[in-house]
Amino acid sequence: MKRFFLSITLMAMLLLLVSHALPQAHPPATRAEMRVARMQQATRNVDETSEYRLGRAVAARILTSYQLAQDPKLQLYLNEVGQTVARKSSRPDTFRGYHFAVLESLEPNAFACPGGIILITRGMLKLCGNEDEVAAALAHEVAHVAHRDGVNSVVSSRWAAVVADRRIAAAKERGGRAAEMAALYEDSINDVFKTMVTNGYSRTAEWAADQEALRSLSRAGYNPQALASLLTKMLAQENRGVGIYRTHPPTALRLARVNAQIKDLKPEKIPEARERRFKEQKI
Ligand SMILES: [Zn+2]
């Protein structure tokens, strides 16, 4: 945190210098704009392979506290729905593609690991009353991957370590500084894990994920209103310290924003085939 404020202060000083040198320059960036710019700069330094490796390690860490559901039929179904919305997202392709899996937990929750591994709890699926709501939950997670929110949660001072992860692997074989480098990489995994499971992303990131979910749902032929109906169900059983409620903005605020965006849409009827295949699942 100290480093964060230090870098903000340094950037502010630089901006001040620039604005003195160029009286006609744009007004100084706000704190939020500087933060976004800093994150975008950091993200550009991480290639897809490193992002994938980081995401895989984060997923493995999550699986130390959650059990994967042993239900191949549900797994296949979830992947069909997930791939449909992912293809229509702002980032349809990642290094190793998107993968969706169910976690055996009754707490409603979902995790978007960098690179495209998406884990959703049975509790979250149980809240969904139809396929469109499943698609809505997954589209929100796909948007987090598309926006690289997980990668962005790595403390910027550790970027060098993530970017250099090929060198970490090589150094591991040589010994010597390996332990030190691996420890740095481990810290990046911790950063992402802590953000995803405990602290949550910023509100701005969550609003953006909901907004993108509405777009992907619509492009994929799903009803965007499903996000609002899912949030309505979540609101009814919201328990702020638990699962997805712990890491996301209050559901009432999310719902109000989503409703404002879909207010002009006419209600749609879900096609029969889609209803049938949803009901066939043992959720
Ligand atoms: Zn989210």
Side-chain angles (χ1 to χ4, degrees):
M1 213 54 189
K2 249 184 193 165
R3 270 175 197 275
F4 171 70
F5 284 117
L6 196 67
S7 62
I8 288 288
T9 316
L10 277 172
M11 283 175 83
M13 282 167 68
L14 276 172
L15 275 166
L16 206 67
L17 281 173
V18 170
S19 61
H20 274 279
L22 303 164
Q24 301 303 318
H26 294 296
T30 64
R31 189 177 265 223
E33 282 166 344
M34 285 196 285
R35 186 164 168 267
V36 168
R38 185 177 65 89
M39 281 181 165
Q40 283 169 344
Q41 181 59 48
T43 307
R44 274 197 289 275
N45 294 335
V46 175
D47 61 66
E48 291 239 342
T49 323
S50 304
E51 183 189 0
Y52 163 74
R53 288 194 191 132
L54 180 64
R56 204 174 50 176
V58 170
R61 177 78 53 91
I62 291 172
L63 291 176
T64 60
S65 4
Y66 289 90
Q67 200 190 331
L68 268 183
Q70 301 299 318
D71 185 342
K73 199 179 160 201
L74 179 60
Q75 179 79 10
L76 193 67
Y77 175 70
L78 194 72
N79 275 276
E80 275 170 13
V81 178
Q83 299 298 347
T84 306
V85 286
R87 271 198 297 275
K88 300 296 177 182
S89 72
S90 63
R91 191 183 176 196
D93 296 301
T94 63
F95 175 58
R96 286 277 161 91
Y98 287 86
H99 301 276
F100 302 83
V102 183
L103 301 175
E104 286 298 3
S105 164
L106 290 177
E107 269 182 16
N109 212 347
F111 306 105
C113 305
I117 300 173
I118 290 173
L119 306 167
I120 185 165
T121 63
R122 197 177 281 276
M124 192 72 201
L125 290 175
K126 274 182 185 296
L127 275 179
C128 300
N130 52 52
E131 184 174 307
D132 292 40
E133 289 178 3
V134 174
L138 297 180
H140 175 95
E141 299 307 318
V142 165
H144 280 310
V145 175
H147 300 163
R148 295 181 155 216
D149 291 329
V151 181
N152 282 333
S153 60
V154 176
V155 172
S156 59
S157 57
R158 291 202 248 279
W159 278 116
V162 177
V163 172
D165 78 347
R166 272 197 207 96
R167 274 176 286 157
I168 290 175
K172 260 183 190 166
E173 298 193 354
R174 283 200 310 272
R177 290 181 59 212
E180 184 194 344
M181 291 175 84
L184 279 170
Y185 190 58
E186 186 69 13
D187 285 343
S188 305
I189 299 164
N190 287 340
D191 287 342
V192 181
F193 180 80
K194 225 170 21 188
T195 304
M196 280 172 50
V197 178
T198 316
N199 301 336
Y201 303 125
S202 68
R203 286 196 173 188
T204 314
E206 294 302 340
W207 307 144
D210 278 341
Q211 243 177 42
E212 164 140 357
L214 292 175
R215 277 195 300 272
S216 318
L217 285 169
S218 174
R219 286 191 206 132
Y222 285 114
N223 184 356
Q225 284 154 327
L227 181 57
S229 58
L230 177 61
L231 286 169
T232 306
K233 288 175 194 165
M234 286 170 62
L235 183 62
Q237 62 144 263
E238 180 159 12
N239 181 353
R240 290 296 302 161
V242 172
I244 199 158
Y245 306 112
R246 183 178 180 185
T247 52
H248 281 68
T251 310
L253 297 183
R254 290 180 66 190
L255 184 58
R257 282 178 172 253
V258 166
N259 273 333
Q261 278 161 346
I262 58 169
K263 64 180 188 316
D264 297 328
L265 293 180
K266 287 195 182 79
E268 279 175 34
K269 192 177 170 343
I270 295 176
E272 220 178 290
R274 213 189 281 166
E275 280 287 35
R276 207 178 319 128
R277 67 186 180 211
F278 174 76
K279 284 183 180 141
E280 276 169 15
Q281 304 304 318
K282 290 190 181 69
I283 299 169

